[in-house]
Amino acid sequence: MRGEGCYLWDEDGRRYLDGCGGAFVANIGHGVVEIGVAMAQQARQIAYVSGMTFTTEVVEELASELAALLPGDLDHLYFLSSGSEAVEAALKLARQYWVERGRPAKHEIISLAPGYHGNTLLALSASARPHYAAFFHEWIVDVHRVPAPLAYHCACRGADASCAVCSGAVLEQRILELGADNVAAFIAEPVGGSSTGAATPRADYFRNIRAICDRHEILFVADEVACGAGRTGTWSAVEQYGVTPDIMTMGKGISGGYAPLSAVAAPRRIVDVLARGSGALMHAQTFSHHAVTCAAGLATLRYIREHELVERAHAMGAILQRLASLADLPHVGEVRGRGMLAGVEFVMDRETRAPFPRRARVAERFTEAAQRAGLIVWPNYGHVNGIDGDLVMLAPAFVIEPAQIDELVTLFRIAYDDSVAGALAAS
Ligand SMILES: Cc1ncc(COP(=O)(O)O)c(C=O)c1O
C-alpha cells in the first residue's frame, strides 16, 4: 500500500481516490516527506521521556503554536494518542474541576443523540450509537441525551425558528430536569461527524448553547476530533459560531495521520483550579506528550500554515459543494456538511425521508461499490432510529484539486448505479 496526495495504490497497483482520508484523518494528503523527516529527527534527539518527569521542547512548541490557533482563552494543551482518550480526559477534567471547586454534586454529563465521541467506556457512554454499545450495556455509565440538531430528520424539518431541538433550547429543559447543580458538562460536535452525516447546526445554535451553559454553570466541551484542524474551513469548527467552549478535544487531522495524536485544550481558569488543588489531572498515561508523536503534530501544523491549507480547505470546500448535484439521484435524500466535511444520506423515499430497511445494507453496499470503482468513502448507518439510516461521508485531503472533486462526483455516480439503485431488490 502507498499513498500520494489524494490517491492510494494497493499492492496490486490499483489506484483509489481517497475521498475520506481514512477516518477524516489524512488532511494534508498522503506521502508528505517533511513529516517523516521531522519524526526521525525527533527520535534521534529524544523519542520518549515520561510526561511525569520531563517536558520537551517539541511538546512546548506544539502546545504554544496550537494554542495560538484556538479560540478565546483555550491556551493549555494535554496531548494523548486517540480521540477517545482525549474525550475521556476532557470529561474527567470537567468532573475533577467541579469537585476541586467544592461542587462535588456536579457529575452528570449531557450529550447529543445521535453523536459519537469514541469507543473507550466513558467516551462510548457519551456516544449515542446504540449498536456500538450492544455488548457492553452493563459497563456503560448514564449519560443524558438531548436530540441532535439534525434538521433533515427533525419534525420541523429545519423550518421552525422556535424549534427547541434546532435552537438548542432542549438542552436547558434537560438541565432543569436533572438540576443544574448536578450537571458537570455538555459535550457536542460543532459539526457532526459520521453519526449525523456532517449535520451543521444553524448559526445561532452554539451561541444559544453557550448562553445556556453559562446560565447554569455547566462546562461546554466541544469535541473537534473529527471536525477540527481546519476541516470546515477554519482551524476550529466552533469558532464559526462565534463562541469559545470551556474545553476542546482534537485528534485525527492534527497530525494528518502521520502519528496517532490527540489533544485536550482548556483555559487557565480551569487548569489553575487543579494546579492549586490536587496538583494534577488524574489521567496520567505512559504515552501522553510523546515526543515523536508531537513532532508529527508540530510538523503537520507548520506544513498546514506554510501551505495555507486551512484557507485552501475553505476554498476547496466551496468546490466540494459540487456534491450537491448528486441530489438528482432518486435515493439521495440530502447532501450536507461544511467545508471539506460532507455527508450524503440515502433514503428509500425522498418525500417522507424514510430510510431503507437495515437488511438492505445500503451504506455498506455503496461503500463496497465505490471501492470497486476506485473511490474510498466512509459509511455509517443507524442515525435515524439507532438501526436504520444510511449515509456516507466525504472528507478528502485539503490538497485535492477541483478536477479530482469532479472525478469524485463521477465515481460516486458509478457506485450509486452499481449499488443503491438495486439495493432493495438485492436484499
Ligand atoms: C467526534 C469524535 N470524537 C471522538 C472520536 C474518537 O476518536 P478515536 O477513534 O481516535 O478514538 C471520533 C472518532 O471517529 C470522533 O469522530
Side-chain angles (χ1 to χ4, degrees):
M1 192 94 211
R2 71 182 180 87
E4 198 180 313
C6 288
Y7 290 104
L8 297 166
W9 287 263
D10 68 16
E11 51 279 19
D12 299 324
R14 259 206 94 214
R15 194 182 81 161
Y16 305 89
L17 177 59
D18 187 356
C20 55
F24 333 134
V25 171
N27 290 8
I28 65 172
H30 299 286
V32 179
V33 173
E34 290 94 316
I35 316 301
V37 170
M39 292 170 72
Q41 276 169 355
Q42 183 60 49
R44 209 177 302 127
Q45 185 184 326
I46 181 68
Y48 173 80
V49 284
S50 168
M52 304 294 286
T53 318
F54 287 109
T55 185
T56 55
E57 293 86 344
V58 68
V59 165
E60 297 302 323
E61 280 172 40
L62 178 59
S64 76
E65 292 189 26
L66 195 48
L69 296 170
L70 299 181
D73 56 357
L74 294 169
D75 58 358
H76 283 59
L77 276 300
Y78 195 91
F79 296 109
L80 292 153
S81 299
S82 69
S84 302
E85 288 169 285
V87 167
E88 297 271 334
L91 294 176
K92 283 180 173 176
L93 173 61
R95 169 67 180 148
Q96 194 177 331
Y97 167 81
W98 286 119
V99 175
E100 299 215 33
R101 263 199 57 185
R103 309 275 303 273
K106 282 176 100 56
H107 69 288
E108 305 283 9
I109 299 166
I110 304 176
S111 67
L112 295 176
Y116 184 61
H117 300 291
N119 250 333
T120 52
L121 287 175
L122 182 57
L124 182 60
S125 302
S127 303
R129 309 256 309 138
H131 53 293
Y132 280 27
F135 295 109
F136 312 113
H137 283 302
E138 295 80 357
W139 299 342
I140 296 294
V141 299
D142 275 341
V143 169
H144 305 275
R145 314 253 187 251
V146 293
L150 178 47
Y152 183 71
H153 286 291
C154 186
C156 84
R157 294 194 165 192
D160 177 2
S162 66
C163 171
V165 173
C166 295
S167 70
V170 71
L171 174 65
E172 189 150 42
Q173 295 164 10
R174 199 81 184 96
I175 290 169
L176 294 173
E177 281 162 21
L178 293 165
D181 286 343
N182 299 318
V183 181
F186 169 66
I187 182 166
E189 300 166 74
V191 172
S194 55
S195 62
T196 59
T200 50
R202 64 189 214 196
D204 62 344
Y205 183 80
F206 281 104
R207 284 201 299 279
N208 297 339
I209 294 294
R210 181 69 275 177
I212 293 167
C213 288
D214 286 345
R215 229 175 358 258
H216 298 285
E217 292 190 285
I218 284 154
L219 297 179
F220 166 33
V221 181
D223 182 355
E224 296 239 351
V225 168
C227 63
R231 180 135 299 275
T232 64
T234 48
W235 179 264
S236 65
V238 75
E239 70 190 69
Q240 295 186 33
Y241 294 89
V243 303
T244 301
D246 297 294
I247 300 174
M248 184 189 283
T249 55
M250 289 159 276
K252 295 187 187 277
I254 56 169
S255 63
Y258 288 82
L261 177 67
S262 64
V264 182
R268 174 171 292 282
R269 67 187 153 82
I270 291 181
V271 174
D272 269 359
V273 170
L274 278 64
R276 285 196 302 263
S278 66
L281 171 65
M282 288 305 285
H283 193 75
Q285 288 192 221
T286 302
F287 288 124
S288 75
H289 309 87
H290 191 277
V292 174
T293 307
C294 287
L298 185 60
T300 302
L301 198 152
R302 289 178 176 170
Y303 187 89
I304 288 173
R305 233 178 15 225
E306 276 155 30
H307 294 81
E308 299 184 342
L309 290 187
V310 177
E311 295 78 356
R312 191 179 167 86
H314 181 72
M316 285 302 120
I319 298 191
L320 193 64
Q321 282 177 15
R322 289 178 188 168
L323 286 169
S325 65
L326 297 169
D328 67 351
L329 297 170
H331 292 295
V332 169
E334 189 177 51
V335 181
R336 52 181 175 258
R338 177 166 293 162
M340 296 293 277
L341 188 62
V344 181
E345 174 161 355
F346 301 117
V347 290
M348 194 166 67
D349 183 323
R350 286 221 292 218
E351 197 50 47
T352 61
R353 305 187 177 182
F356 282 98
R358 182 81 288 270
R359 69 179 154 76
R361 296 179 64 253
V362 171
E364 296 95 315
R365 275 177 206 270
F366 176 87
T367 303
E368 288 156 17
Q371 189 156 345
R372 280 196 298 278
L375 171 67
I376 307 298
V377 301
W378 184 267
N380 185 72
Y381 63 86
H383 63 282
V384 175
N385 55 19
I387 298 167
D388 306 309
D390 296 271
L391 59 87
V392 292
M393 299 291 291
L394 285 317
F398 306 167
V399 294
I400 195 166
E401 297 288 343
Q404 294 167 333
I405 291 177
D406 289 337
E407 182 190 351
L408 192 159
V409 174
T410 302
L411 294 173
F412 194 107
R413 286 180 181 276
I414 294 170
Y416 177 94
D417 289 342
D418 189 22
S419 58
V420 182
L424 261 187
S427 68

